[in-house]
C-alpha cells in the first residue's frame, strides 16, 4: 500500500500581504488631513486677495462724467442775465465732451466773517460729494468764458505725456524769486493739482483738481480756520500760496503750466504779465481778471463783448 508523498515545499513561496501597522495608517491620515487644511487655507488666501483687489479698484458707474466744471455763483453781485449766460457757456462746453457742470451759490456755505470768495473751497468739496466717481474738477471763475469749447481737457492738458511736456519745472512757486520751487522730477500721473501763475502769484480763477484723499486733505488745509483768520490781503489766493510753499505734501502734487493754456486775461495789467498774459483768438479761456474789484470796470459789459464774439463764431 502506497501513500502519496507530501508536495515538496517550493523554493519560491507565494508573496504574503504586508500588514500595515496601525501607527503607519494613523500617520497617513494625519498627512491627508494636513494637506486638506493647507489646500483650504490656500484657496481662502486666494479668495481674500481677489476680494481685496476688487475692492481696491473703484467701480465707476456707467455714464459717470470724467470732468465736472465748477463755477461758484454769487446771486447778490451777479445779475440774472449774466448768470444765465455764464451757465449756458459752461453747459455748452460740458455737453460737447460728456462733462458735468456744478453751479453752487456763495450763500450755500458757512465761511464765517471771511470774504465771500472763500466759498470756492467748500464748493469744490461739495462738488466731490455730488459727483463721487468723477476724476477731475475744473474750477472756473464766473468772470471767465470758455472761448474754444472744442478743446478737450484730457488731450489739452491732462494726458500724462502731455502734462509732463507742459509742466514748468524748478520754477519759483510765487514769482519772481520765491525760494520754493516746483519739483523737477514729478511724473504726470502723480499730479493732483494743475495751476497757472501770473506776474504776481498763483491763479485760483481757473485750475484743475483731481479727486481723491489728497484733494480732500488739500481743500481741508486750504479752508483751515487759522488761515481764514489771518486776513490775507487777497484772502484765499494768498492762503493758497502760503500752503503750497510751506506744505511739502501739497507741493509734491502740484504742476504749474503756462498761463494762457488755462487762464488768459482780457486786460493788460503790467504787474500780472502785461501783454504776454492777454487772450489771443483761438485760446481756451479768457478771464476778466480783477473786474469785480475795480470800480472803473464792469464785469457784465466785458463779458458781453466776448460772449457776442463767441456766438458769432459758432
Amino acid at each position: 500500500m502506497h501513500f502519496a508523498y507530501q508536495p515538496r515545499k517550493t523554493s519560491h513561496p507565494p508573496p504574503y500581504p504586508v500588514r500595515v501597522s496601525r501607527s503607519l495608517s494613523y500617520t497617513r491620515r494625519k498627512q491627508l488631513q494636513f494637506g486638506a487644511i493647507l489646500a483650504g487655507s490656500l484657496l481662502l488666501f486666494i479668495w481674500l486677495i481677489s476680494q481685496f483687489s476688487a475692492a481696491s479698484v473703484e467701480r465707476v458707474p456707467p455714464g459717470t462724467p470724467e470732468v465736472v466744471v465748477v463755477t461758484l455763483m454769487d446771486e447778490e453781485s451777479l445779475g440774472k442775465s449774466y448768470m444765465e449766460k455764464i451757465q449756458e457757456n459752461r453747459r455748452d462746453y460740458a455737453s460737447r465732451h460728456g462733462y458735468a457742470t456744478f453751479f453752487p451759490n456763495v450763500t450755500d456755505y458757512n465761511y464765517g466773517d471771511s470774504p465771500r470768495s472763500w466759498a470756492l473751497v467748500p464748493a469744490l468739496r461739495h462738488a466731490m460729494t455730488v459727483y463721487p466717481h468723477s476724476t477731475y474738477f475744473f474750477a472756473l471763475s464766473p468772470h471767465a468764458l470758455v472761448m474754444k469749447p472744442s478743446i478737450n481737457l484730457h488731450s489739452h492738458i491732462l494726458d500724462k505725456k502731455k502734462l509732463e511736456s507742459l509742466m514748468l519745472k524748478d520754477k519759483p512757486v510765487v514769482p519772481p524769486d520765491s525760494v520754493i520751487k516746483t519739483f523737477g522730477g514729478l511724473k504726470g500721473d502723480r499730479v493732483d493739482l494743475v495751476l497757472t501763475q501770473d506776474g504776481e502769484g498763483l491763479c485760483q480763477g481757473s485750475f484743475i483738481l483731481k479727486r481723491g484723499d489728497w484733494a480732500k486733505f488739500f481743500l481741508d488745509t486750504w479752508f483751515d480756520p487759522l488761515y481764514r483768520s489771518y486776513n490775507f490781503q487777497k484772502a484765499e489766493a494768498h492762503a493758497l500760496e502760503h500752503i503750497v510753499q510751506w506744505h511739502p505734501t501739497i507741493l509734491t502734487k502740484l504742476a504749474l503750466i503756462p498761463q494762457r493754456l488755462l487762464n488768459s486775461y482780457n486786460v493788460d495789467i503790467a504787474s500780472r504779465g502785461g501783454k504776454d498774459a492777454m487772450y489771443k483768438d483761438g485760446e481756451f479761456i479768457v478771464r476778466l481778471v480783477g473786474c469785480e474789484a475795480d470800480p472803473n470796470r464792469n464785469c457784465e459789459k466785458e463779458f458781453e463783448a466776448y460772449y457776442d464774439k463767441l456766438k458769432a463764431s459758432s
Side-chain angles (χ1 to χ4, degrees), residues 69-91 101-109 111 116-121 123-124 126 139-144 303:
V69 183
V70 181
T71 295
L72 179 66
M73 312 302 284
D74 188 345
E75 295 176 354
E76 292 185 15
S77 64
L78 304 176
K80 182 179 179 181
S81 174
Y82 188 15
M83 288 195 297
E84 288 174 351
K85 289 174 181 176
I86 292 168
Q87 294 181 21
E88 177 194 336
N89 177 254
R90 308 299 191 264
R91 289 189 178 115
T101 55
F102 186 62
F103 302 109
N105 190 60
V106 167
T107 56
D108 295 340
Y109 310 105
Y111 42 85
R116 299 169 72 83
S117 56
W118 271 105
L120 170 65
V121 186
L124 283 167
H126 186 187
L140 186 58
S141 165
H143 305 300
F303 185 95

Side-chain angles (χ1 to χ4, degrees), residues 226-250:
L226 179 64
Y227 297 135
R228 284 185 280 137
S229 71
Y230 280 172
N231 293 321
F232 288 112
Q233 183 181 1
K234 293 186 178 180
E236 79 290 347
H238 279 170
L240 175 63
E241 292 176 357
H242 177 84
I243 64 173
V244 166
Q245 291 186 94
W246 303 112
H247 287 263
T249 305
I250 293 175

Side-chain angles (χ1 to χ4, degrees), residues 13 44 51 53 60 67 130 143 152 197 211-212 230 234 242 256 297 307 311-313:
L44 177 61
Q51 292 298 111
S53 299
V60 179
V67 176
V130 175
H143 305 300
N152 179 284
Q197 61 177 192
R211 178 184 56 82
Y230 280 172
K234 293 186 178 180
H242 177 84
L256 285 181
R297 294 173 61 187
Y307 180 83
K311 285 294 183 183
S313 65

Side-chain angles (χ1 to χ4, degrees), residues 82 145 266-267 286-291 294 296-307:
Y82 188 15
L145 282 90
N266 73 317
V267 290
V286 61
R287 186 169 156 227
L288 319 177
V289 62
C291 70
D294 187 341
N296 298 316
R297 294 173 61 187
N298 186 302
C299 293
E300 191 163 356
K301 286 184 178 179
E302 292 180 22
F303 185 95
E304 284 289 342
Y306 286 95
Y307 180 83

Side-chain angles (χ1 to χ4, degrees), residues 163-187 191 193-198 201-203 240-241 243-258:
L163 184 54
E164 288 173 0
S165 72
L166 297 173
M167 286 191 291
L168 303 176
K169 301 176 181 179
D170 298 313
K171 178 88 170 174
V173 172
V174 178
D177 53 6
S178 170
V179 297
I180 308 299
K181 299 182 180 181
T182 56
F183 287 165
L186 185 60
K187 299 297 183 182
V191 171
L193 176 62
V194 179
L195 281 170
T196 63
Q197 61 177 192
D198 60 20
L202 297 176
C203 305
L240 175 63
E241 292 176 357
I243 64 173
V244 166
Q245 291 186 94
W246 303 112
H247 287 263
T249 305
I250 293 175
L251 185 61
T252 57
K253 294 288 190 176
L254 166 68
L256 285 181
I257 63 172

